Amino acid sequence: MVDQRMLPQAALALEHAQLKRLEILSIIEATTLVLLVCVAVPLKHVFGWPLGSTILGPVHGLAFLAYSWTALQTVAAGGWRRREIARLFIVAFLPFAGYFNIAWLRRMSKSLQGVR
C-alpha cells in the first residue's frame, strides 16, 4: 500500500473513495458468483432449468468486469505489494472469497482515515 504520509489530502480522499467502490463491487461480484455456482448451475444440470444461468451468467460477467476494472484502477496508482494485488484478483475467481475481501478493504480504508 502507498505510504500515506507522503500523499496529499486529495489523493487520500481519492484512494479512500476507490477502496469504497472496490468494496461495493466485491460484494456484488461475490454474490453473483455464489448465485451462479451454487444455484443457477445446479438448477441447469440437475433439473434441466437453464434460464437461471442464462440470466445470471451475463450479470456475473458484467459484475466481474466492473470489479476487475476497478481493482486495476486501484492498483495502478502504485505502492501496492504483489501479494495485495494477487489477493485482489484471486478472490474474484473463488466463491465466497469476495466476502472475506470486504473486511480487508475496510481495514485498508480505515488506515487511510487514520492518516488524515
Side-chain angles (χ1 to χ4, degrees), residues 1-113:
M1 185 103 232
V2 176
D3 184 11
Q4 292 88 7
R5 295 170 297 189
M6 305 288 286
L7 293 175
Q9 293 299 323
L12 286 174
L14 183 62
E15 189 168 357
H16 176 69
Q18 192 71 9
L19 286 172
K20 186 65 176 168
R21 213 172 300 128
L22 197 57
E23 180 184 325
I24 292 167
L25 286 171
S26 184
I27 293 168
I28 294 169
E29 193 278 333
T31 302
T32 60
L33 180 59
V34 167
L35 288 174
L36 182 65
V37 171
C38 296
V39 177
V41 171
L43 284 175
K44 177 181 179 178
H45 293 289
V46 175
F47 298 107
W49 190 67
L51 184 63
S53 58
T54 302
I55 294 170
L56 202 52
V59 170
H60 170 67
L62 288 173
F64 175 79
L65 288 174
Y67 173 82
S68 298
W69 180 252
T70 304
L72 187 61
Q73 286 178 327
T74 303
V75 299
W80 287 73
R81 294 183 204 115
R82 288 183 186 182
R83 182 178 175 185
E84 295 170 335
I85 295 169
R87 178 184 176 148
L88 281 177
F89 289 99
I90 289 172
V91 298
F93 293 97
L94 303 173
F96 299 102
Y99 297 119
F100 298 111
N101 205 32
I102 296 166
W104 179 64
L105 290 170
R106 287 182 180 164
R107 281 194 307 272
M108 293 182 79
S109 186
K110 284 187 186 234
S111 72
L112 288 176
Q113 289 175 349

